[in-house]
Amino acid sequence: IKECDWSSDVCSSDLYPLTYMIYTEPFDKMPAKARDRVLKRLHEVLTGEDKSERFSKIAATDKKNVLEILRATKPNLPDYWR
């Protein structure tokens, strides 16, 4: 995730594979500020708050599915994820 260029087609079109990294120990051990920024940015994309063209290729259903999966399975998400 850290090295993901959020404007690239790889990251913007492959959300399901991207999310597995959120469940890893290295992700959980990232400095809090960096982890919080990644989670905030991901939330902006998945909720549609970020309406930029670079994420328009991601189907709304894919965004919704990933958001729901993360909400249901990732402990300790910030309150704004609920």
Side-chain angles (χ1 to χ4, degrees), residues 3-8 11 17 23 27-28 30-31 34-35 37 46 51 63-65 80:
E3 296 178 19
C4 181
D5 174 0
W6 286 88
S7 65
S8 75
C11 292
Y23 298 101
F27 182 87
D28 289 337
M30 285 172 53
R35 186 181 58 252
R37 177 66 183 132
L46 295 177
K51 298 182 185 318
K63 291 178 187 179
K64 181 178 180 255
N65 289 340
Y80 61 84

Side-chain angles (χ1 to χ4, degrees), residues 1-2 27 30-40:
I1 292 175
K2 170 177 115 170
F27 182 87
M30 285 172 53
K33 190 172 183 175
R35 186 181 58 252
D36 292 345
R37 177 66 183 132
V38 170
L39 288 172
K40 176 68 174 156

Side-chain angles (χ1 to χ4, degrees), residues 7 26 48 69 74:
S7 65
I69 290 167
K74 179 65 179 166

